[in-house]
Amino acid sequence: MSLSANTKTSQQWSHTRRLGFITALVIGLTALHLLYGARTIPIATLAQALFHYNPHDFDHRVLISLRLPRVLGMLLAGSCLAIAGYLLQITLRNRLSDPHLLGLNAGASLAVVLVTAFPIAPLFSMVRPLVASVGAALLFCLVLVIASAGKKGLQPLKLIFCGIAFSALAGAITSTILILDEDTLDQLRFWLIGDGAGANLHTVLISLPFAGAGLVLSLLIMPQLSAMSLGDAMAKGLGASVQKIRFMSLLAAALLTGSAVSAVGPIGFIGLISASLWRGIHSRPSAYSLALVAITGAAILMAADMAAISLFAPKELPTGALTGLVGAPVFLWIFIRRMR
């Protein structure tokens, strides 16, 4: 067997071990999240609730009505935000990119609040992921336009600063609407702070098709993104349409962010943390790296939600606040390293 074949086999084995480890971790965290909480439930009861649900059994209702939607929401949001962050980092060639920092979360939240505050809210409930995706895309486009202005064009620091500024502006508008409309505030109280307690099976299920569309689009453009990692000139030489791929990548990021925000609210830094944990995935984008980042994001958000429940029990922290406490130092660490 040649040296190149040995190297390829070794890489495949390494990839398999990584994916196997992080997948096992997600499965373990999911089981723990379902079984432990304010009330500990035996694993036998979990199996009965999943396969022979009894609506008159209190533990079954806790599992299926409360804990399962929360767990599914965390899995969906964590994987979607991780993939969205990874796509943004590759497309913009900026390791600091994250849906929360670049305005996608804020745009999605503002769009949801705006539509909920108007009389069409009952009709809107079925298309909340679409509205959130459109809001994320529109605000991010505005960030890109402003950050690209000037002689030097689009630069990483300009993009981050514009994203933070427009996120703050969108947040201020959102807060103003909620102060003036207490009904909307009551409807979206838990959702707005990015808390798993606000997740329900309906919002998770209607978010799935949009998340699926974002995932399929991400997989379709991954070979072209791999070519773009070599530089625009090389990508064009290999037959890739750079502008088209960038547009499709940003569209996928908007769909994924909208799905995540729709399901559990605006939660930040998952994309930044997930992609920062693994070396080499930015220089060699592939379906494997996409899967690795997605499962890592699900594991991180699941762990954060469990910590939010248990750290100060019986009181709960908002999950989004906990990810911010971890994500902000990670952002500063990456920023300082890039400034050296």
Side-chain angles (χ1 to χ4, degrees):
M1 186 179 290
S2 66
L3 180 62
S4 60
N6 282 329
T7 302
K8 186 175 181 181
T9 302
S10 177
Q11 288 178 344
Q12 289 175 343
W13 175 238
S14 176
H15 291 173
T16 302
R17 285 190 299 173
R18 281 183 176 184
L19 282 176
F21 168 76
I22 199 67
T23 301
L25 180 61
V26 169
I27 293 171
L29 288 171
T30 300
L32 288 173
H33 205 329
L34 288 169
L35 295 173
Y36 295 100
R39 179 185 178 91
T40 301
I41 296 175
I43 192 168
T45 304
L46 173 60
Q48 291 171 2
L50 292 175
F51 298 106
H52 304 286
Y53 176 65
N54 180 4
H56 302 294
D57 188 303
F58 179 74
D59 285 345
H60 285 202
R61 293 203 307 272
V62 168
L63 282 167
I64 302 302
S65 301
L66 297 177
R67 294 188 185 177
L68 184 60
R70 182 167 187 157
V71 164
L72 292 176
M74 292 297 108
L75 290 173
L76 174 70
S79 56
C80 284
L81 291 172
I83 295 173
Y86 181 53
L87 289 175
L88 292 171
Q89 290 171 26
I90 297 173
T91 305
L92 301 173
R93 298 196 181 95
N94 184 355
R95 299 288 183 88
L96 296 172
S97 297
D98 180 86
H100 184 66
L101 294 171
L102 297 184
L104 281 85
N105 278 6
S109 301
L110 177 57
V112 170
V113 169
L114 278 171
V115 178
T116 306
F118 287 89
I120 61 172
L123 297 175
F124 156 69
S125 63
M126 291 301 297
V127 291
R128 188 159 93 172
L130 178 60
V131 172
S133 299
V134 171
L138 288 177
L139 190 63
F140 183 52
C141 286
L142 186 58
V143 169
L144 283 176
V145 169
I146 301 300
S148 301
K151 294 181 180 179
K152 294 184 178 181
L154 186 66
Q155 294 183 321
L157 286 182
K158 284 173 64 181
L159 182 64
I160 295 297
F161 290 148
C162 285
I164 293 172
F166 277 102
S167 292
L169 176 61
I173 296 172
T174 300
S175 298
T176 302
I177 295 171
L178 294 172
I179 289 172
L180 298 175
D181 189 343
E182 292 186 4
D183 290 338
T184 301
L185 176 60
D186 290 337
Q187 289 183 53
L188 302 177
R189 187 183 303 275
F190 287 109
W191 178 85
L192 281 165
I193 56 176
D195 193 354
N200 61 72
L201 196 57
H202 173 70
T203 55
V204 171
L205 289 177
I206 63 173
S207 298
L208 277 176
F210 298 91
L215 175 60
V216 169
L217 189 56
S218 302
L219 290 170
L220 288 175
I221 63 174
M222 197 51 57
Q224 288 77 18
L225 284 177
S226 182
M228 284 176 60
S229 68
L230 303 173
D232 287 1
M234 182 67 73
K236 290 178 181 177
L238 294 172
S241 175
V242 174
Q243 295 304 321
K244 180 181 177 181
I245 297 304
R246 282 209 174 101
F247 171 77
M248 292 175 69
S249 177
L250 298 179
L251 175 61
L255 284 168
L256 291 162
T257 303
S259 301
V261 172
S262 173
V264 300
I267 293 179
F269 297 107
I270 296 299
L272 182 72
I273 300 172
S274 302
S276 301
L277 291 176
W278 306 107
R279 291 184 179 181
I281 60 173
H282 293 88
S283 58
R284 296 185 297 273
S286 64
Y288 156 74
S289 58
L290 201 69
L292 184 65
V293 167
I295 300 172
T296 302
I300 291 172
L301 192 52
M302 186 75 71
D305 196 46
M306 291 177 64
I309 293 171
S310 59
L311 281 178
F312 298 99
K315 293 184 178 180
E316 290 187 19
L317 289 174
T319 313
L322 201 60
T323 61
L325 288 172
V326 177
V330 173
F331 170 79
L332 291 173
W333 173 67
I334 298 173
F335 180 80
I336 291 170
R337 286 185 63 189
R338 290 176 65 87
M339 289 295 99
R340 287 178 180 175

